[in-house]
Amino acid sequence: AGEIVERGTVYDIFEGKQHHPYTEGLFGSIPDIEGKEKRLKPIEGLMPDPTDLPSGCKFSPRCPYCTEVCLTQQPEDSIDGTHTIKCHLRKIGG
């Protein structure tokens, strides 16, 4: 929906332990060239209509971890050094 939900260094994104559910979905859709999977695992659901965005987190309709707070409140950035995640459930840093 046009928002940056995670940003960081290459290490933050590829080696970090915490990720936004959208990032997890993107990683899950990368084909394994040595695997025997015939189909990719897409992120479930459809992108929201940009003229009718959901309240709260814009990824909530497609998020497997969505809770009540996700439906009603915009998440704020959680920051740990160079790594930032915008998610109610993925808190990083202190």
Side-chain angles (χ1 to χ4, degrees), residues 58-76:
K58 304 306 180 240
F59 188 62
S60 64
R62 302 175 73 193
C63 183
Y65 311 109
C66 181
T67 65
E68 191 67 33
V69 70
C70 303
L71 298 173
T72 59
Q73 296 178 26
Q74 274 276 17
E76 294 189 16

Side-chain angles (χ1 to χ4, degrees), residues 21-32 37 39-43:
Y22 181 72
T23 306
E24 290 176 3
L26 291 176
F27 284 149
S29 67
I30 297 172
D32 179 358
E37 296 282 330
R39 295 186 55 93
L40 299 178
K41 296 178 214 160
I43 297 171

Side-chain angles (χ1 to χ4, degrees), residues 10-12 22-23 33 51 56 64 70 72 76 80 92:
V10 170
Y11 178 82
D12 294 332
Y22 181 72
T23 306
I33 60 173
T51 64
C70 303
T72 59
E76 294 189 16
D80 184 16
I92 58 175

